Amino acid sequence: MKAAVWHGVKDVRVEDVELKPSKSNEVVVRVAYAGICGSDLHEYLEGPVFIPVDQPDELTGGEAPLTMGHEFSGIIEKIGTDVTNFKVGDHVAINPTVTKGNLASDLDVYDGYSFIGLSTDGGFTSHVNVPEENLYHLPTEFSLELAATIEPTAVAVQAVKEGGLRFGEKVVIFGAGPIGVLVAAAAKAAGATKIVAVDLSDVRLKKALEMGATDVVNPAEVSDTIAAISDIIPGGADVSFEVAGVQPTFEQAIDATRPRGTVVIVSIFARPITFDPMKLMNAGVKLTTTIAYSKETFQQTVDLVSSEQINVKPVITDMIALENIVSNGFEALTQDKSQAKILIDLSKEQ
């Protein structure tokens, strides 16, 4: 079968691979659609970030070269002898996180984690082995195309939960890339009445409005970004989300938040930034972070997306063939700001 295999920086090859024998607790998923994540792009441009190269991953045993892809949906084609809650033909979403499983769901990921598709073979191929505990049932009538966006949406839902957002509150989102616009959609579903997206790209701001933002601010078009936000939300946001991963937006997220409000760091920072704790203390703002999602949050996201309480359709901006994943996938995401979520159509791959 064909697969997109990571070998090194800017070295992802579509090549023939053999599916490894599945274990008794695993199923074989025939992949329908798979999304390219920002983490995948980081691995392509500057990896290894998560991909193990010197020794096998502690949790999965996987190592490079490996098949990428951790945002995917599909249909079960084969089940292991110890699998009890799924059957052949079931439509499934995949939670790609692999953890030690020693702590409660909301703490588990902070005890060490790996990812299917980043630390072991993933979904940029026609078939993949997935442990039963990583599977979530989908309604048969629900689009497998839309289901491929459940994983990044779960990141956004977890971020909104970490911020303690309540009905009627107001938020600001710094960064209108794929996760940023999904945070807008999740905040809308959670009852936010004002959702301000901030980004330097008008194309991305338009996408944020499609996904649930009520207002947008382009710092390149205003003399004072914080003043522009204050005109929309006098007194400051109840919750701000930092989804850009750079020093200026980190500082602006604090400045845009009301006293005793909350800033949630969602983005993966590519490099360290400087931080003056007194700036945070004098503003009376609480700072928290989020990574991935709990199993509870993933199930909640499956329910929210499959019931269309979160509309994910606008985040999908292109559908490509596996053979074009480098040129029309990784390179397109690098160069074209209009792209949000690019899906690989694997529904016809055998």
Side-chain angles (χ1 to χ4, degrees), residues 66 79 124 147:
L66 58 79
I79 63 170
F124 288 164

Side-chain angles (χ1 to χ4, degrees), residues 4 7 19 38 52 62 79 98 103 117 162 168 203 205 217 226 237 243 254 310-311 322:
H7 287 266
L19 180 66
I79 63 170
V98 179
L103 301 177
E162 294 290 348
V203 173
L205 291 175
V217 173
I226 300 303
V243 204
I254 296 171
I310 293 182
N311 178 21
L322 179 64

Side-chain angles (χ1 to χ4, degrees), residues 183-232:
V183 169
K188 179 181 179 180
T193 54
K194 280 288 184 183
I195 303 170
V196 183
V198 182
D199 200 283
L200 290 166
S201 167
D202 285 332
V203 173
R204 287 188 164 185
L205 291 175
K206 182 179 178 181
K207 181 63 65 178
L209 290 169
E210 286 185 68
M211 296 293 293
T214 60
D215 301 88
V216 297
V217 173
N218 186 330
E221 298 175 359
V222 297
S223 58
D224 187 327
T225 301
I226 300 303
I229 295 170
S230 296
D231 288 341
I232 302 167

Side-chain angles (χ1 to χ4, degrees), residues 30-302:
R30 175 161 52 85
V31 181
Y33 299 92
I36 301 176
C37 176
S39 299
D40 298 324
L41 190 59
H42 278 297
E43 294 290 356
Y44 173 72
L45 293 173
E46 59 206 33
V49 180
F50 293 105
I51 292 177
V53 293
D54 295 324
Q55 60 185 23
D57 180 80
E58 177 185 354
L59 293 175
T60 67
E63 60 182 322
L66 58 79
T67 300
M68 300 180 73
H70 62 275
E71 301 177 0
F72 60 100
S73 63
I75 301 172
I76 293 178
E77 199 163 272
K78 178 183 175 182
I79 63 170
T81 55
D82 293 336
V83 174
T84 59
N85 294 318
F86 294 85
K87 65 183 186 301
V88 171
D90 283 350
H91 290 208
V92 291
I94 290 83
N95 174 346
T97 54
V98 179
T99 64
K100 298 175 183 176
N102 294 327
L103 301 177
S105 178
D106 60 332
L107 301 175
D108 191 29
V109 73
Y110 298 105
D111 191 34
Y113 63 89
S114 295
F115 279 95
I116 296 170
L118 285 173
S119 54
T120 189
D121 289 331
F124 288 164
T125 186
S126 61
H127 294 81
V128 60
N129 298 321
V130 180
E132 181 179 19
E133 65 180 5
N134 294 86
L135 300 169
Y136 291 73
H137 286 283
L138 292 170
T140 305
E141 67 277 8
F142 184 66
S143 163
L144 287 171
E145 177 183 330
L146 298 182
T149 70
I150 286 173
E151 194 277 342
T153 307
V155 173
V157 171
Q158 187 71 53
V160 168
K161 291 173 67 176
E162 294 290 348
L165 183 65
R166 294 180 292 184
F167 279 102
E169 292 192 328
K170 302 172 178 63
V171 308
V172 179
I173 302 164
F174 290 88
I179 297 297
V181 299
L182 286 168
V183 169
K188 179 181 179 180
T193 54
K194 280 288 184 183
I195 303 170
V196 183
V198 182
D199 200 283
L200 290 166
S201 167
D202 285 332
V203 173
R204 287 188 164 185
L205 291 175
K206 182 179 178 181
K207 181 63 65 178
L209 290 169
E210 286 185 68
M211 296 293 293
T214 60
D215 301 88
V216 297
V217 173
N218 186 330
E221 298 175 359
V222 297
S223 58
D224 187 327
T225 301
I226 300 303
I229 295 170
S230 296
D231 288 341
I232 302 167
I233 307 178
D238 297 290
V239 186
S240 292
F241 299 91
E242 203 299 307
V243 204
V246 293
Q247 179 95 37
T249 53
F250 173 79
E251 295 175 354
Q252 290 171 347
I254 296 171
D255 293 338
T257 306
R258 67 167 174 80
R260 309 309 297 158
T262 301
V263 173
V264 184
I265 298 178
V266 187
S267 54
I268 302 295
F269 280 72
R271 57 186 61 85
I273 62 173
T274 59
F275 172 46
D276 179 3
M278 290 307 300
K279 178 179 176 65
L280 194 68
M281 294 171 68
N282 289 335
V285 171
K286 294 173 283 185
L287 178 66
T288 189
T289 63
T290 181
I291 187 74
Y293 31 73
S294 66
K295 292 183 178 180
E296 176 189 59
T297 294
F298 201 94
Q299 181 62 66
Q300 291 169 342
T301 307
V302 169

